[in-house]
């Protein structure tokens, strides 16, 4: 019998509308079959572990990522797959973090949630939950069909560290423009096997040390030296610099000098594009050639969410800035494409 563990952290999917007040209130998720009776027809077992207290996705933190990872580590041998129910707003951050924290994963860890509460007339909660469970339980020749951390939402399965939330009003809340969807649910559940990570033969490892000492520098035309200096001098170990197009920045001397000074002071600067589609190509244009020469790290086509959580993971587990820079430019969990 296939066993799946449901980890309910919080979010709309575990809420119901109070008929008197109209306010969303959490219900006892242990009684989920009362609201989704279709679950009784599944041909496998599942158990629910609810966080206490429940956590709104806006309050998620590296400490919660650690708690989720430790729970999966504790129960890893007891279940064939895991479904993590999470608020959609920061789901891509948490799911991306888990993808880096669990090395050599051989079982599915599927994140899902909903835009409407489970007892809503037009709710998306039931379909998201049922299909996420089916994906977590799916096997081929005795092995998990999707041995990686994913997000399932609105009939599509995304690699976690390739996804981001782009819409707060549509059921189609997530996108993954730089990597194909891993599965689509229609009349049939169709998996794109060539795009799914192959499981490793190495033993699984859980990394729960994270360091969130990360700053953000988002460029815009007309940004002042004072603003750039403030961002670069922040008390952090690494800075994610969101640049234009394929990784381009201003070539003004004051700007480049400030970047050089920050790197000389021991800060890592990771270059990712403000564009949602495409990749950073350091050195392709004159406006990025000097960045490459001074040691700015190429983030290629990583999402902002993947860049943040990959840095948390590397800063927590690797001491050398040189090695961290190497790993940032290396595809560790399918999070980037090196051209």
């Amino acid at each position: 019998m296939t066993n799946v563990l449901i980890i309910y952290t919080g979010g709309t999917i575990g809420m119901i509308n109070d008929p008197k007040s109209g306010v969303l209130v959490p219900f006892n998720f242990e009684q989920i079959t009362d609201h989704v009776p279709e679950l009784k027809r599944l041909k496998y077992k599942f158990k629910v572990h609810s966080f206490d207290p429940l956590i709104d996705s806006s309050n998620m933190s590296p400490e919660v990522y650690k708690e989720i990872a430790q729970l999966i580590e504790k129960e890893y041998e007891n279940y064939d797959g895991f479904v993590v129910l999470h608020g959609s707003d920061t789901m891509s951050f948490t799911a991306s973090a888990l993808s880096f924290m669990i090395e050599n994963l051989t079982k599915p860890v599927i994140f899902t949630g909903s835009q409407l509460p489970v007892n809503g007339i037009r709710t998306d909660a039931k379909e998201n939950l049922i299909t996420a469970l089916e994906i977590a339980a799916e096997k081929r020749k005795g092995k998990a069909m999707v041995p990686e951390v994913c997000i399932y939402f609105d009939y599509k399965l995304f690699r976690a560290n390739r996804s981001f939330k782009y819409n707060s009003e549509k059921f189609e809340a997530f996108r993954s423009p730089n990597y194909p969807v891993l599965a689509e649910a229609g009349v049939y559940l169709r998996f794109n096997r060539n795009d799914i990570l192959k499981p490793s033969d190495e033993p699984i490892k859980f990394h729960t040390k994270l360091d969130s000492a990360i700053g953000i520098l988002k460029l815009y035309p007309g940004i002042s030296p004072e603003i750039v200096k403030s961002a670069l001098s922040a008390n952090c170990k690494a800075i994610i610099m969101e640049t234009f197009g394929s990784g381009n920045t201003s070539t003004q001397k004051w700007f480049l000098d400030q970047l050089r000074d920050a790197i000389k002071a021991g800060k890592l600067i990771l270059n990712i594009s403000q564009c949602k589609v495409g990749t950073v190509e350091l050195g392709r244009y004159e406006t990025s050639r000097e960045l490459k020469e001074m040691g700015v790290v190429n983030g290629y086509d990583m999402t902002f969410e993947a860049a943040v959580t990959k840095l948390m993971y590397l800063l927590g587990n690797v001491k050398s800035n040189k090695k961290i820079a190497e790993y940032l430019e290396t595809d560790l969990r399918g999070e980037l494409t090196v051209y």
Side-chain angles (χ1 to χ4, degrees):
M1 177 66 74
T2 300
N3 292 293
V4 178
L5 179 63
I6 299 174
I7 302 170
Y8 175 48
T9 67
T12 303
I13 195 168
M15 302 287 183
I16 57 174
N17 279 304
D18 184 292
K20 293 182 179 179
S21 65
V23 174
L24 291 179
V25 294
F27 67 91
N28 182 356
F29 214 87
E30 298 284 346
Q31 300 170 342
I32 182 61
T33 52
D34 293 342
H35 297 279
V36 191
E38 295 88 344
L39 293 174
K40 297 175 183 177
R41 296 165 56 189
L42 296 176
K43 298 177 181 178
Y44 43 85
K45 294 180 180 179
F46 65 87
K47 183 181 177 182
V48 177
H49 174 95
S50 293
F51 271 47
D52 186 15
L54 298 175
I55 304 168
D56 186 280
S57 67
S58 297
N59 288 322
M60 284 290 166
S61 68
E63 285 303 311
V64 182
Y65 305 162
K66 179 179 178 179
E67 193 173 344
I68 298 171
Q70 287 176 331
L71 177 59
I72 294 174
E73 180 177 19
K74 178 183 174 183
E75 301 288 0
Y76 194 74
E77 298 303 325
N78 299 326
Y79 293 91
D80 300 281
F82 302 85
V83 171
V84 183
L85 305 180
H86 191 290
S88 61
D89 286 351
T90 63
M91 186 184 294
S92 286
F93 286 96
T94 306
S96 293
L98 265 290
S99 76
F100 296 115
M101 296 169 74
I102 307 175
E103 186 177 358
N104 304 323
L105 181 63
T106 58
K107 298 179 181 181
V109 178
I110 312 299
F111 279 73
T112 194
S114 66
Q115 298 284 61
L116 290 175
V118 73
N119 70 339
I121 294 175
R122 295 186 304 104
T123 185
D124 56 331
K126 290 184 179 182
E127 195 285 323
N128 285 349
L129 174 59
I130 291 169
T131 307
L133 283 165
E134 288 185 328
I135 293 169
E138 189 75 21
K139 292 183 180 181
R140 185 170 182 263
K141 296 182 179 179
K143 294 185 178 181
M145 180 66 80
V146 189
E148 56 175 292
V149 184
C150 301
I151 287 176
Y152 178 78
F153 227 90
D154 192 46
Y155 304 104
K156 292 179 181 178
L157 183 71
F158 307 99
R159 176 167 297 160
N161 54 38
R162 290 285 193 159
S163 73
F164 59 88
K165 184 175 181 181
Y166 93 102
N167 198 305
S168 63
E169 295 183 350
K170 291 184 177 181
F171 289 146
E172 182 200 357
F174 290 85
R175 283 188 177 173
S176 171
N178 287 324
Y179 198 80
V181 295
L182 304 184
E184 293 189 69
V187 175
Y188 302 100
L189 187 54
R190 300 193 183 279
F191 293 89
N192 300 322
R193 294 175 185 168
N194 291 335
D195 298 315
I196 296 171
L197 287 176
K198 302 297 183 288
S200 171
D201 294 328
E202 297 297 316
I204 191 166
K205 296 179 183 177
F206 289 83
H207 307 276
T208 54
K209 291 182 180 179
L210 299 174
D211 189 336
S212 58
I214 300 164
I216 309 297
L217 172 59
K218 185 163 187 169
L219 302 183
Y220 56 88
I223 192 169
S224 70
E226 292 76 21
I227 295 296
V228 174
K229 183 178 180 180
S230 177
L232 293 176
S233 61
N235 184 22
C236 60
K237 299 176 182 177
I239 293 164
I240 296 172
M241 181 169 64
E242 294 189 76
T243 55
F244 309 121
S246 56
N248 303 311
T249 68
S250 167
T251 56
Q252 294 181 79
K253 185 176 182 302
W254 68 262
F255 178 78
L256 297 176
D257 284 346
Q258 286 201 30
L259 294 183
R260 287 192 189 92
D261 290 343
I263 292 171
K264 288 177 182 177
K267 283 190 170 74
L268 281 161
I269 298 180
L270 175 64
N271 185 344
I272 66 170
S273 177
Q274 294 179 22
C275 298
K276 295 297 186 182
V277 184
T279 188
V280 168
E281 298 179 73
L282 283 181
R284 180 180 180 185
Y285 296 99
E286 182 184 356
T287 46
S288 67
R289 178 178 55 81
E290 288 197 59
L291 302 180
K292 185 176 182 180
E293 291 176 354
M294 73 174 69
V296 169
V297 182
N298 193 338
Y300 293 96
D301 56 353
M302 273 195 291
T303 64
F304 176 72
E305 292 83 349
V308 168
T309 53
K310 186 175 183 179
L311 264 172
M312 286 183 181
Y313 159 68
L314 291 173
L315 290 172
N317 293 277
V318 181
K319 300 299 181 185
S320 162
N321 271 12
K322 183 179 179 181
K323 291 299 294 183
I324 292 174
E326 288 178 12
Y327 286 134
L328 283 171
E329 294 185 347
T330 302
D331 182 20
L332 300 181
R333 310 281 195 271
E335 74 281 1
L336 60 81
T337 307
V338 179
Y339 296 95

